Amino acid sequence: MSKQWYMLTIVGEDRRGIVARVTDALFNGGCNLGEASMMRLGGSFTIMLMVELERSGSELQKLLQPVARSLNLHIHVDSIEGRLHRHREPDVSITVYGADRAGIVARVTGVLAEAGLHILELESDVGGSSENPIYVMHIEGHAGEGIEALRSAMELIECDGIEVNLQPVDTMVG
Amino acid sequence: MAALEILIYPDQRLKQISQPVQQFDGELRSFVVELEQTMRSSPGGVGIAAPQVGCFQRIVIVDLSAKPKIASHGRMVLINPEILSWEGMVKGREGCMSVPDFTGNVMRAERITLGALNENGEPQEYICEGFEARAVQHEIDHLDGLLFLDRLVSRRTDLFRRKNYGSRKTA
Ligand SMILES: [Zn+2]
């Protein structure tokens, strides 16, 4: 079997050493690691990891079974067409905040998607006091129809009492 | 004249510290011309440092004239450059001709006062801001064997710093 890339998604309760033990098992199983994104949120842990090896996806599952069992992790394997070096660079950075209320994410991302935004990264958090929570969201993305299209779309959102800051991302290469 | 070859990390020579220029002669000036052509032949490049082409002397070129929307001094040849003062820190995205296919966020001073010699050995002083200040700091780092990879900040830095403060990362 020739080398194949897999997307490995691992979810579980956060505890010390998960990344070390998972990557150790992968290394000992002859895997190559590609890009990875790990996040810890509300006591849970998740990682997406590109893994390359000369075996099938079910063998990759089997390889991780001992670690998964001992750390109580859910493991999901997809074989992917993707490979490394397919980064898409963000050209816009957007911060949104306002009084916490249901629908803010759907409203904002819906309007911006319509104006051509492709979201590359999104993070959000709830702050403020428990009586008056505020919702803060940060997006990095690619403005498919240009930044001006997003600016006009933002005006629609701001009417709803949501603050939106939009900054072009100009990457310095030197 | 052909562009010079650019060293690509993990070439360890990029981590080397460059030496001050002593001789301001014809050889230096023709090297500056070649260095500038190398910078112009890489798409999007607004700066270059001599160690990126394997010459370990403190020579930098920054030129933002291709970005008319950004205020700048245009073409600057900075020899033995020194940052005399700086203020403000701001996050921005950087890439490097010596680190292909990777960009990341880096904190840099927003405004710097810069002393340097030009290719004739004459002292110059510049006040640079924003994007230009960022380019100058990135290039001077090359002279000290530093890449923007040495200064990457987490994408969560801005929004989550206060909350995570003091808490223990377990994973
Ligand atoms: Zn560089």
Side-chain angles (χ1 to χ4, degrees):
Chain A
M1 181 170 182
S2 62
K3 287 204 169 186
Q4 162 72 38
W5 279 104
Y6 296 94
M7 184 62 75
L8 183 63
T9 310
I10 302 175
V11 181
E13 190 185 326
D14 188 35
R15 57 171 99 181
R16 188 168 1 163
I18 296 180
V19 175
R21 291 193 51 192
V22 167
T23 52
D24 187 58
L26 292 170
F27 174 74
N28 288 322
C31 303
N32 272 326
L33 298 190
E35 292 146 34
S37 175
M38 185 215 111
M39 191 72 85
R40 183 191 179 280
L41 202 60
S44 292
F45 162 96
T46 174
I47 189 165
M48 285 174 76
L49 189 61
M50 286 172 70
V51 172
E52 187 191 39
L53 80 164
E54 269 175 59
R55 290 194 258 168
S56 70
S58 57
E59 282 175 282
L60 177 57
Q61 281 270 11
K62 213 175 290 166
L63 190 75
L64 289 167
Q65 237 160 42
V67 190
R69 206 170 294 133
S70 82
L71 296 174
N72 200 17
L73 302 171
H74 302 281
I75 292 189
H76 182 82
V77 174
D78 289 302
S79 80
I80 49 171
E81 288 301 310
R83 46 192 169 78
L84 300 180
H85 305 290
R86 281 204 177 167
H87 299 140
R88 192 155 189 189
E89 297 298 336
D91 60 9
V92 63
S93 153
I94 302 168
T95 304
V96 179
Y97 68 91
D100 184 25
R101 59 188 170 111
I104 181 167
V105 181
R107 169 100 179 103
V108 170
T109 54
V111 167
L112 292 174
E114 203 132 295
L117 180 70
H118 177 193
I119 295 176
L120 301 174
E121 283 175 17
L122 182 150
E123 284 150 8
S124 66
D125 204 353
V126 180
S129 64
S130 40
E131 305 82 64
N132 291 303
I134 56 165
Y135 193 84
V136 185
M137 173 163 72
H138 182 79
I139 296 171
E140 299 229 323
H142 178 76
E145 288 164 31
I147 289 185
E148 284 318 307
L150 296 180
R151 277 196 210 284
S152 334
M154 269 165 46
E155 284 164 25
L156 288 173
I157 306 169
E158 282 175 333
C159 295
D160 294 350
I162 300 167
E163 302 291 331
V164 187
N165 291 308
L166 187 150
Q167 294 284 339
V169 174
D170 200 353
T171 302
M172 197 295 295
V173 180
Chain B
M1 213 178 301
L4 303 166
E5 193 192 332
I6 292 187
L7 303 186
I8 303 293
Y9 188 77
D11 191 318
Q12 289 303 308
R13 287 175 290 174
L14 288 163
K15 305 300 289 178
Q16 186 172 327
I17 293 176
S18 295
Q19 299 304 312
V21 172
Q22 315 267 13
Q23 305 256 25
F24 292 81
D25 52 14
E27 200 182 320
L28 172 71
R29 284 182 284 277
S30 60
F31 172 73
V32 167
V33 171
E34 287 182 299
L35 187 64
E36 184 169 348
Q37 280 178 346
T38 308
M39 176 184 82
R40 297 200 190 288
S41 62
S42 356
V46 295
I48 192 167
Q52 288 182 280
V53 298
C55 166
F56 301 96
Q57 297 213 63
R58 303 186 77 83
I59 305 168
V60 155
I61 302 172
V62 169
D63 185 1
L64 268 67
S65 47
K67 292 181 177 276
K69 281 189 194 160
I70 299 174
S72 80
H73 293 92
R75 174 184 177 276
M76 294 188 289
V77 175
L78 308 170
I79 298 177
N80 303 342
E82 260 180 88
I83 295 173
L84 304 171
S85 68
W86 58 86
E87 56 185 85
M89 290 300 276
V90 63
K91 192 175 86 171
R93 206 165 187 94
E94 297 184 18
C96 181
M97 293 183 275
S98 299
V99 187
D101 193 47
F102 184 83
T103 65
N105 287 321
V106 177
M107 300 293 295
R108 299 284 187 190
E110 190 161 24
R111 183 183 155 96
I112 56 173
T113 311
L114 180 69
L117 303 171
N118 66 14
E119 61 262 67
N120 300 312
E122 297 153 350
Q124 315 284 319
E125 206 169 294
Y126 298 97
I127 294 173
C128 303
E129 291 183 31
F131 200 82
E132 187 180 50
R134 173 170 300 277
V136 167
Q137 291 168 82
H138 176 112
E139 301 312 335
I140 291 179
D141 267 358
H142 277 301
L143 305 181
D144 294 321
L146 291 171
L147 299 171
F148 77 104
L149 303 177
D150 293 302
R151 298 193 188 272
L152 288 176
V153 294
S154 154
R155 58 200 168 101
R156 287 169 77 83
T157 301
D158 281 354
L159 197 51
F160 297 91
R161 182 159 37 193
R162 189 178 55 86
K163 257 198 158 166
N164 283 342
Y165 186 75
S167 72
R168 187 156 177 195
K169 286 209 179 97
T170 50

